[in-house]
Amino acid sequence: MNLESFQIHYLPDICLLWRIWKSRNKVVYEFTQPLASSLARQFFFQVQEYFSVSPHPQILSPRLQSSRLSSWVGPPEGFIKINFDAAVRDHGSSSGLVVRGSDGQVFLSLRFHHPGISNPYLAELLAARDAISLVLSRSIPRAIIEGDSEVVVRQLDGRCCEDSVGGPLLRDCFQLLRSCSSCILFSSVPRTVNWAAHRVARQALLLSPVAIASFDFVGWLH
């Protein structure tokens, strides 16, 4: 059995054993009362985190498989859609944001460097945080933040940390959301729909860390 087959077949068992061990340690050292529902949620998110950054098409649900040919859909009237994505290399990662209106016109696109962050899941979280920060800094009243990391979108939408490795970043995102008076919705899409943000993120990896580029500004976003 090769490594990929091993991961597909045994990763859920490994994750479950790990969550049980973590729960046991909390009982022994922190004198907490274990909750089966909490353990189950943490197990679910841990498995989803792994497969979100190492996707295996053969285990995707039929709904996700059938949606891969979908195209980008504009936001409702009065909303702005911000697509986010991350690109990763050994030395760090970058975020790509693409801001569009209901007619598909690109209002703004941004690139950000994140040196030292080479974990794909954390890189996606940073990209999502950049999108939230953009809403706040530009005082956008109504926005849909859309990405292809289903785990990150689910966690942000449900305001849920679930003892994730990204807990500090998630709490930072939640703090930004609490301080924001804008209406912000979250949406998950396949990567084929999120190609523009992905291309912007990959382009950022080719730039010098000091050459953070932004372009296509529109007046009301200033």
Side-chain angles (χ1 to χ4, degrees), residues 15 19 60 65 79 96 123 132 146 168 176 206 216:
C15 288
R19 295 320 316 179
L60 292 175
Q65 288 180 353
F79 276 79
I132 297 170
E146 187 172 80
L176 289 174
L206 305 177
D216 289 335

Side-chain angles (χ1 to χ4, degrees), residues 6-16 43 47 50-51:
F6 177 85
Q7 290 171 333
I8 293 173
H9 287 91
Y10 295 109
L11 182 86
D13 296 332
I14 295 170
C15 288
L16 181 58
F43 160 72
V47 173
Y50 172 82
F51 284 118

Side-chain angles (χ1 to χ4, degrees), residues 140-173:
I140 301 174
R142 292 175 294 276
I144 297 174
I145 296 178
E146 187 172 80
D148 56 49
S149 175
E150 190 174 359
V151 170
V152 168
V153 169
R154 185 186 294 112
Q155 288 176 320
L156 291 174
D157 195 35
R159 306 293 195 270
C160 176
C161 288
E162 296 295 347
D163 195 26
S164 166
V165 66
L169 274 176
L170 282 167
R171 285 187 284 273
D172 194 20
C173 290

Side-chain angles (χ1 to χ4, degrees), residues 24-34:
R24 175 262 180 197
N25 286 345
K26 286 189 174 184
V27 172
V28 172
Y29 298 110
E30 300 178 20
F31 307 103
T32 59
Q33 193 69 21

